[in-house]
Amino acid sequence: MKRQNQSMITEFILIGFSNLGDLQILLFFIFLLVYLTTLSANATIMTVIRLDRALHTPMYFFLFVLSCSETCYTLVIVPKMLTNLLSTAPTISLSGCVAQLYFFVGLACTNCFLIAVMGYDRYVAICNPLNYTLIVSRATCTQLVLASSFCGFLISVVVNVLVFSIPFCASNRINHFFCDISPVIKLGCTDTNLKEMVIFFLSILVLLVPLVLIFISYVFIVSTILKISSVEGQRKAFATCASHLTVVIVHYGCASFIYLRPTSLYSSDKDRLVAVTYTVITPLLNPLVYTLRNKEVKTALKRVLGIPVATT
């Protein structure tokens, strides 16, 4: 009977925001506006970095890749969510759910590793500036990006195998607005404790280990900055790290709240709100933070737009 029920499930129903009734129309326009702004902001960041030679440095190379990855990340989640907000039958096929979870986890893990790599870049730039170009060479940058992507999508393969090897014979109603790990696992009708433990271990590997490495990097960074005799020098050094730290806090904070805890503690309403933050808001936050808080990017944007730049 279990095999028969499992084979009958060819699609899932994404409950998502269906309990909000007419408010779904308002959410559609809000999320659409945020999504279009996100695409525009990330496209602007990538264009400016590509066109302005002053930004052809490792720091902005990693930012370019992160913006590209964040854009793809939103494409996996937001268009389907917008479609379902206007649909009376918000469904996703089994193959679509598998693909969505694969690319979501792969890109999310890649972003985590990229942000850690950006922390390493700041560490070398501030703590070992004389050897910076030798240590963080173009080849090294490319290798770090490829390694981040490879590890991210390798972990995604493992997660997908663990999640979709479970027989779904209880229900096909996913209590979320996309195919996330915990809501899908909860549909299984067998004991999933071992698989959840493996996924939890992978979450520690993806979230906690990079976060600890970033923290250690910033201990050395702050120690080095405090040794700078000039107050202006200290201010500039802290300014180069402020944008990255903001992204670290928001990105790892939201993801840790969801994934560094047992599935049994999953709370649909609260977790949906946090999920909106890291799937819709955070991809918009990254380009805004790096544009509004970064003088080099703002100056480069003016040059690309042909706006006169005051020289000091």
Side-chain angles (χ1 to χ4, degrees):
M1 180 63 72
K2 287 183 179 180
R3 290 179 180 273
Q4 183 180 1
N5 287 339
Q6 183 185 10
S7 63
M8 289 172 59
I9 295 180
T10 58
E11 67 177 15
F12 295 99
I13 299 172
L14 295 169
I15 297 176
F17 306 101
S18 57
N19 61 324
L20 297 179
D22 293 339
L23 282 177
Q24 290 183 90
I25 303 298
L26 177 61
L27 283 179
F28 170 83
F29 286 107
I30 292 174
F31 290 154
L32 178 62
L33 178 61
V34 173
Y35 180 54
L36 294 177
T37 305
T38 300
L39 293 180
S40 302
N42 278 296
T44 300
I45 284 285
M46 289 187 286
T47 302
V48 170
I49 292 173
R50 181 70 181 85
L51 296 179
D52 195 278
R53 293 186 62 83
L55 300 184
H56 290 182
T57 63
M59 173 181 172
Y60 294 107
F61 170 74
F62 292 131
L63 178 57
F64 180 95
V65 176
L66 180 63
S67 293
C68 182
S69 181
E70 291 279 19
T71 301
C72 297
Y73 175 79
T74 58
L75 287 171
V76 173
I77 305 296
V78 182
K80 182 62 178 175
M81 179 184 69
L82 292 173
T83 302
N84 286 344
L85 282 171
L86 298 179
S87 174
T88 55
T91 61
I92 185 170
S93 66
L94 176 60
S95 58
C97 190
V98 172
Q100 188 180 61
L101 185 63
Y102 170 73
F103 285 107
F104 166 72
V105 173
L107 290 167
C109 292
T110 299
N111 291 345
C112 285
F113 296 140
L114 281 175
I115 293 171
V117 166
M118 292 171 77
Y120 170 72
D121 171 72
R122 290 299 82 210
Y123 162 74
V124 177
I126 293 174
C127 298
N128 197 358
L130 296 179
N131 295 319
Y132 177 65
T133 54
L134 293 175
I135 298 173
V136 191
S137 63
R138 179 172 300 211
T140 302
C141 291
T142 303
Q143 290 166 3
L144 287 171
V145 168
L146 291 177
S148 297
S149 300
F150 176 78
C151 292
F153 281 93
L154 179 62
I155 289 171
S156 184
V157 169
V158 175
V159 170
N160 258 39
V161 170
L162 289 171
V163 171
F164 290 101
S165 61
I166 299 171
F168 301 113
C169 51
S171 172
N172 70 334
R173 297 171 64 85
I174 297 176
N175 195 12
H176 211 355
F177 59 87
F178 72 98
C179 290
D180 202 357
I181 298 171
S182 293
V184 175
I185 281 184
K186 289 174 77 73
L187 301 181
C189 55
T190 59
D191 183 18
T192 60
N193 287 333
L194 179 60
K195 294 184 178 183
E196 289 180 39
M197 286 179 60
V198 174
I199 292 173
F200 183 73
F201 172 77
L202 291 175
S203 299
I204 293 175
L205 181 65
V206 172
L207 292 170
L208 209 55
V209 173
L211 188 59
V212 169
L213 293 176
I214 291 171
F215 175 77
I216 294 172
S217 296
Y218 272 97
V219 169
F220 286 104
I221 287 171
V222 171
S223 175
T224 302
I225 291 175
L226 292 177
K227 294 176 183 177
I228 300 175
S229 56
S230 141
V231 175
E232 180 64 18
Q234 289 184 352
R235 188 191 64 78
K236 287 183 177 179
F238 277 121
T240 62
C241 300
S243 300
H244 179 254
L245 271 177
T246 304
V247 172
V248 167
I249 292 169
V250 175
H251 185 93
Y252 284 97
C254 292
S256 298
F257 177 81
I258 296 294
Y259 299 105
L260 292 182
R261 58 179 181 161
T263 304
S264 58
L265 298 180
Y266 177 78
S267 171
S268 57
D269 294 334
K270 186 190 301 181
D271 289 357
R272 262 200 303 270
L273 181 60
V274 178
V276 167
T277 302
Y278 67 74
T279 57
V280 181
I281 307 300
T282 302
L284 172 62
L285 177 69
N286 292 347
L288 289 182
V289 166
Y290 275 99
T291 302
L292 297 176
R293 296 186 58 90
N294 192 300
K295 185 178 178 181
E296 287 182 330
V297 174
K298 288 190 286 188
T299 303
L301 180 59
K302 289 179 180 179
R303 282 197 294 263
V304 170
L305 295 176
I307 301 172
V309 178
T311 56
T312 56

